[in-house]
C-alpha cells in the first residue's frame, strides 16, 4: 500500500536530527518513506502505512493548531505510538493538557510511563521500579500535585529513607529539618518545577505539603493524602511494612525505587523487592517495571544503564537485582532463610 502526506512548513521537527525520527517510524512500522517536492510518500503493508499516515496527519493538525512539539518529544511519542496501536499522537499530547500539573504540561514519553500514570489514577498503591532517569519520582510528584490542585486530596506527603549513598557524612550542623533536607532535595526540586516557589513555601508552612524522612511515618494514619515513598530500595523490610500500613481513607501511595542502587548495610533485607513480590496480584496494587528504554535523560544514560545490566548479568548478580514484574510471570521463589549459625 502506498499513501502520501502533503508537506507543510514545520514538518522538519518531525523528521528529527539526521532524520532519526523518520528512521524510527520506518523501522517500527515496517514502512519506507520517500520525500517528493510536495509530499512524503509512505509505502508498506496496509496497516503500517495507514498507521504512519495517521501519525503524520495528527502531527500536522497539532502544528496548524499552534502546538509545537520538539524533535526529542516526537521521538519519545513515536516509541509509544509504535508499541501501542490504540494510542494516537493527538490523544498523547492532549492528555497532558487534561491534567493540571501546575506550571507543567506533562505527557508520558514511553509506553511504561503511560501505564504508570494510568496505574496511579486507577489504583491506591503503585510501585514504580526501574533505573535512574525513567521519570518514576518526577511523574509521581506531578500526579500528586495534580491531585492536590484538583482537590482530590487535601495534602501531599513526600518521604524517603535517610540513607547515605555509600558515604559517611558524619555530624551535620543545624536544626533537625536542616539535617534531613539534603536527603530530600530531589523531592523539593520536582515540587519547585511544578509549583511557584512562594506557593510551595506556603504549602510547606501549612503542612499541606510535608517532606519528611521515612522514620517519621511510624504511628501515623494518613487520610485524604497522596503519599510518595522515594528511593524505596533503601528501606528495610520492616520499614516498608510500616509505611504500607500507614495508608488511610481516600489516599493514594506511590513507591519508587531502583533495585540496582541499594545502599542498605550488608545483611538487611530490601523492603522494596520483598513488598513488590508479596503484593503482586493483590487487588488495588499495581507494579510498573521500567527499563533502559524509558530513560528520558541524556541518551548516554540509556547506554550506561544497559552497560551495567550486561555487566551484572555476566557477573551473575543481575538475577539477584532484577525483578520479574510482569503480572503474567510467576513470582520467583523466595530465598531460603539463613540458618541460625550463619
Amino acid at each position: 500500500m502506498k499513501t502520501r502526506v502533503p508537506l507543510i512548513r514545520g514538518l522538519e521537527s518531525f523528521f528529527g536530527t539526521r532524520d532519526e525520527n523518520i528512521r524510527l517510524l520506518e523501522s517500527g512500522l515496517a514502512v519506507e518513506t520517500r520525500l517528493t517536492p510536495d509530499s512524503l510518500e509512505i509505502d508498506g503493508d496496509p496497516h503500517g502505512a495507514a498507521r504512519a499516515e495517521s501519525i503524520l496527519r495528527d502531527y500536522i493538525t497539532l502544528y496548524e493548531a499552534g502546538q509545537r512539539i520538539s524533535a526529542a518529544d516526537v521521538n519519545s511519542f513515536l516509541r509509544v505510538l509504535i508499541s501501542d496501536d490504540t494510542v494516537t499522537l493527538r490523544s498523547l499530547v492532549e492528555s497532558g493538557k487534561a491534567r493540571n500539573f501546575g506550571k507543567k504540561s506533562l505527557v508520558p514519553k514511553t509506553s511504561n510511563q503511560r501505564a504508570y500514570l494510568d496505574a496511579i489514577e486507577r489504583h491506591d498503591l503503585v510501585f514504580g521500579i526501574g533505573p535512574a532517569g525513567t521519570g518514576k519520582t518526577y511523574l509521581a510528584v506531578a500526579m500528586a500535585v495534580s491531585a492536590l490542585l484538583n482537590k482530590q486530596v487535601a495534602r501531599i506527603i513526600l518521604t524517603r529513607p535517610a540513607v547515605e549513598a555509600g558515604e559517611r557524612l558524619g555530624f551535620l550542623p543545624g536544626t533537625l529539618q536542616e539535617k534531613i533536607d539534603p536527603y530530600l532535595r530531589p523531592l523539593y526540586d520536582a515540587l519547585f518545577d511544578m509549583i511557584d516557589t512562594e506557593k510551595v513555601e506556603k504549602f510547606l508552612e501549612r503542612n499541606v505539603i510535608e517532606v519528611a524522612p521515612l522514620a517519621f511515618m511510624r504511628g501515623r494514619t494518613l487520610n485524604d493524602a497522596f503519599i510518595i515513598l522515594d528511593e524505596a530500595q533503601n528501606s528495610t523490610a520492616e520499614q516498608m511494612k510500616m509505611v504500607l500500613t500507614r495508608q488511610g481513607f481516600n489516599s493514594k501511595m506511590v513507591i519508587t525505587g531502583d533495585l540496582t542502587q541499594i545502599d542498605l548495610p550488608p545483611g538487611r533485607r530490601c523492603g522494596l523487592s520483598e513488598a513488590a513480590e508479596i503484593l503482586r496480584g493483590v487487588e488495588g496494587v499495581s507494579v510498573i517495571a521500567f527499563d533502559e528504554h524509558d530513560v528520558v535523560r541524556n541518551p548516554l544514560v540509556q547506554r550506561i544503564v544497559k552497560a551495567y545490566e550486561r555487566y551484572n548479568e555476566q557477573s551473575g548478580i543481575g538475577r539477584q537485582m532484577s525483578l520479574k514484574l510482569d503480572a503474567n510471570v510467576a513470582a520467583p521463589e523466595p530465598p531460603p532463610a539463613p540458618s541460625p549459625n550463619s
Side-chain angles (χ1 to χ4, degrees):
M1 174 181 174
K2 183 175 289 187
T3 184
R4 64 176 58 196
V5 177
L7 291 179
I8 64 163
R9 187 175 182 179
L11 197 61
E12 57 271 12
S13 63
F14 186 92
F15 282 67
T17 306
R18 298 179 181 176
D19 293 341
E20 63 176 348
N21 292 342
I22 285 293
R23 291 201 302 272
L24 176 61
L25 186 75
E26 290 178 332
S27 62
L29 297 176
V31 298
E32 293 181 355
T33 64
R34 188 170 71 89
L35 196 60
T36 69
D38 62 347
S39 66
L40 181 70
E41 292 185 349
I42 305 168
D43 191 12
D45 67 79
H47 175 76
R51 179 68 170 158
E53 180 186 8
S54 173
I55 292 170
L56 277 158
R57 290 193 181 278
D58 272 357
Y59 178 87
I60 291 171
T61 301
L62 290 165
Y63 187 90
E64 291 177 340
Q67 181 74 44
R68 298 295 178 263
I69 308 174
S70 69
D73 283 344
V74 169
N75 189 276
S76 298
F77 293 150
L78 285 176
R79 295 180 188 278
V80 178
L81 295 166
I82 288 169
S83 64
D84 189 346
D85 284 349
T86 65
V87 185
T88 65
L89 180 59
R90 291 180 66 180
S91 69
L92 276 179
V93 174
E94 290 169 0
S95 68
K97 295 179 180 178
R99 299 184 180 103
N100 182 8
F101 294 117
K103 295 189 293 184
K104 286 284 183 178
S105 177
L106 298 180
V107 179
K109 296 183 177 180
T110 71
S111 56
N112 278 333
Q113 286 190 355
R114 182 169 175 265
Y116 186 51
L117 295 184
D118 289 344
I120 292 173
E121 284 189 337
R122 298 175 183 175
H123 297 86
D124 290 336
L125 175 61
V126 176
F127 290 86
I129 302 175
T134 51
K136 305 181 301 295
T137 301
Y138 195 85
L139 291 174
V141 173
M143 291 297 283
V145 168
S146 177
L148 179 67
L149 297 180
N150 292 323
K151 302 188 185 304
Q152 295 170 330
V153 297
R155 55 181 172 158
I156 297 173
I157 297 173
L158 309 174
T159 184
R160 65 189 324 205
V163 175
E164 296 151 343
E167 302 176 65
R168 288 289 176 265
L169 300 179
F171 172 78
L172 294 175
T175 64
L176 179 61
Q177 192 64 42
E178 290 170 339
K179 292 176 191 290
I180 63 177
D181 274 355
Y183 296 99
L184 306 169
R185 179 50 51 189
L187 298 175
Y188 284 112
D189 291 343
L191 280 174
F192 287 128
D193 204 24
M194 296 171 204
I195 308 177
D196 292 329
T197 304
E198 292 182 0
K199 200 167 187 179
V200 172
E201 290 174 350
K202 286 182 181 179
F203 282 154
L204 290 169
E205 288 174 5
R206 292 158 44 195
N207 280 333
V208 173
I209 297 178
E210 181 182 346
V211 186
L214 182 57
F216 287 15
M217 295 297 107
R218 186 171 295 279
R220 303 179 63 182
T221 300
L222 306 174
N223 293 316
D224 201 23
F226 197 116
I227 308 130
I228 299 174
L229 170 58
D230 190 34
E231 297 289 342
Q233 77 275 4
N234 289 327
S235 65
T236 64
E238 295 78 13
Q239 287 176 321
M240 180 59 72
K241 183 179 178 182
M242 177 271 292
V243 75
L244 287 172
T245 53
R246 300 306 95 202
Q247 191 170 358
F249 294 105
N250 189 39
S251 290
K252 283 186 180 290
M253 183 178 291
V254 180
I255 296 174
T256 69
D258 178 0
L259 291 174
T260 68
Q261 299 194 52
I262 298 174
D263 300 309
L264 288 171
R268 302 303 298 271
R269 289 180 298 158
C270 173
L272 177 60
S273 60
E274 183 178 270
E277 184 176 330
I278 291 172
L279 299 178
R280 187 188 297 122
V282 173
E283 184 179 355
V285 178
S286 177
V287 181
I288 305 296
F290 295 90
D291 57 33
E292 77 278 0
H293 301 296
D294 300 301
V295 174
V296 291
R297 291 179 182 168
N298 187 312
L300 177 60
V301 177
Q302 276 191 0
R303 297 193 290 271
I304 290 171
V305 169
K306 190 63 178 177
Y308 268 93
E309 285 184 356
R310 285 197 302 267
Y311 173 79
N312 287 340
E313 289 171 1
Q314 292 168 3
S315 61
I317 62 175
R319 184 180 178 86
Q320 303 170 30
M321 305 304 294
S322 63
L323 271 177
K324 301 299 184 184
L325 298 173
D326 189 335
N328 297 321
V329 177
E333 291 295 323
S339 63
N341 298 323
S342 61

